[in-house]
Amino acid sequence: MDPKLNVSIGDEDSVRVNSSAIIFDNGRLSFVGQECHRLPSVLAKLYGPKVISLDLSYNCLTTLAGVEQFPKLEELVLDNNQLPDSTTIPSLPNLHTLSLNKNCIINLDLLITKIAHQLPTLRYLSLLGNKACPNQLSDQDKDEEDYQRYRYYVIHHLPNLHFLDSSQVSAAEREEAVRRGQFMRIMRPKNTNPEEDTSSQRSIYTPLPSTRRDGGDHQGAYGRCRYRYSGKHSEGNRFIQNSDL
């Protein structure tokens, strides 16, 4: 850490950088918990070519602009920021570790494509706490099966990974990812607005007769049923016999 550093970097970065906010030691640069929305340019100017590990966690980053000025970077920690799907990932040919826990990443396919093109030597990736990572940290409706499918899918597209999130990629996972990983994509519902009226969509798929009846009409419908109940947690089909009516 440079005790003499007390630099105002102006309107471009909208943040004042003091010596206590920056820790630099043996190629490792830490700038944590400063609530900045972008990387202060002064960090790259002072330390860029010297940095191997960069920790920018617990800020409010919405862009990675400026990270490309750290050409020797091998480790990048971006946990607890606000990075969205539109984030441009710079080309970092030496980067082997990328931690993106608890950001605003939803589109897994887009992120994987960027990583494959821009980070060819990546070995460790962590996405916990993002919607793109389907586990209970980001979505209580997801379960272990959803998460395992996600792992197969990511490993298939990034076969050089050794670690994904908090665990090592096993030989069995790698084999399954090669065999079926491309089909393991976790689908998200397109309609995320709970207030949106979906009654018209529901009526299209209803198994009930299409004609409306008055409240006093209790006539039953006979015939072979073409519909069955099936779901992720189904206990089996439900049948109603004529004698039960």
Side-chain angles (χ1 to χ4, degrees):
M1 179 175 65
D2 185 351
K4 299 181 180 179
L5 182 63
N6 189 357
V7 183
S8 176
I9 53 181
D11 295 336
E12 179 185 359
D13 297 283
S14 300
V15 64
R16 185 177 180 83
V17 179
N18 298 314
S19 59
S20 59
I22 301 174
I23 300 176
F24 180 72
D25 181 29
N26 195 27
R28 306 181 69 87
L29 176 61
S30 176
F31 186 72
V32 175
Q34 299 304 305
E35 299 185 355
C36 60
H37 293 269
R38 59 182 296 121
L39 180 68
S41 57
V42 67
L43 297 182
K45 292 177 182 177
L46 293 175
Y47 303 105
K50 310 173 187 177
V51 176
I52 296 176
S53 176
L54 178 60
D55 187 351
L56 299 172
S57 55
Y58 292 95
N59 282 288
C60 302
L61 296 178
T62 58
T63 174
L64 293 182
V67 174
E68 70 278 0
Q69 299 181 52
F70 296 82
K72 297 181 180 179
L73 204 58
E74 297 179 1
E75 179 180 291
L76 180 58
V77 180
L78 300 165
D79 299 343
N80 292 275
N81 278 284
Q82 299 174 11
L83 295 168
D85 285 332
S86 58
T87 301
T88 298
I89 296 181
S91 177
L92 299 169
N94 301 312
L95 195 75
H96 58 68
T97 298
L98 176 62
S99 186
L100 284 165
N101 299 319
K102 294 188 177 180
N103 276 272
C104 303
I105 299 169
I106 300 174
N107 192 326
L108 181 62
D109 289 316
L110 181 59
L111 178 66
I112 288 175
T113 300
K114 293 177 182 178
I115 290 176
H117 284 86
Q118 302 294 82
L119 309 176
T121 61
L122 195 68
R123 298 292 181 269
Y124 179 101
L125 174 65
S126 189
L127 300 174
L128 294 171
N130 291 279
K131 288 290 185 181
C133 177
N135 70 348
Q136 293 186 344
L137 288 176
S138 58
D139 190 341
Q140 293 183 352
D141 292 333
K142 302 301 181 182
D143 57 21
E144 293 182 5
E145 181 181 347
D146 293 319
Y147 179 69
Q148 187 61 66
R149 286 168 57 86
Y150 146 87
R151 285 183 64 87
Y152 291 143
Y153 188 75
V154 174
I155 296 166
H156 173 83
H157 289 281
L158 300 175
N160 293 326
L161 286 183
H162 293 171
F163 276 81
L164 177 58
D165 301 328
S166 58
S167 61
Q168 186 175 3
V169 176
S170 68
E173 282 183 315
R174 198 175 300 281
E175 181 179 347
E176 186 70 6
V178 170
R179 191 165 65 93
R180 295 195 302 158
Q182 61 181 322
F183 307 113
M184 295 291 187
R185 181 181 179 186
I186 304 298
M187 302 299 294
R188 293 181 294 107
K190 294 182 179 180
N191 178 23
T192 57
N193 183 3
E195 297 181 356
E196 185 174 343
D197 183 11
T198 58
S199 58
S200 60
Q201 288 87 344
R202 288 197 299 269
S203 63
I204 295 174
Y205 303 103
T206 177
L208 298 177
S210 58
T211 58
R212 295 185 178 182
R213 299 174 180 172
D214 296 331
D217 185 356
H218 301 292
Q219 180 181 359
Y222 294 89
R224 179 174 297 177
C225 180
R226 294 180 300 163
Y227 302 90
R228 66 185 179 89
Y229 171 82
S230 63
K232 185 171 183 181
H233 302 293
S234 169
E235 297 177 2
N237 299 330
R238 303 297 196 266
F239 297 95
I240 300 176
Q241 300 178 355
N242 290 340
S243 60
D244 296 326
L245 295 176

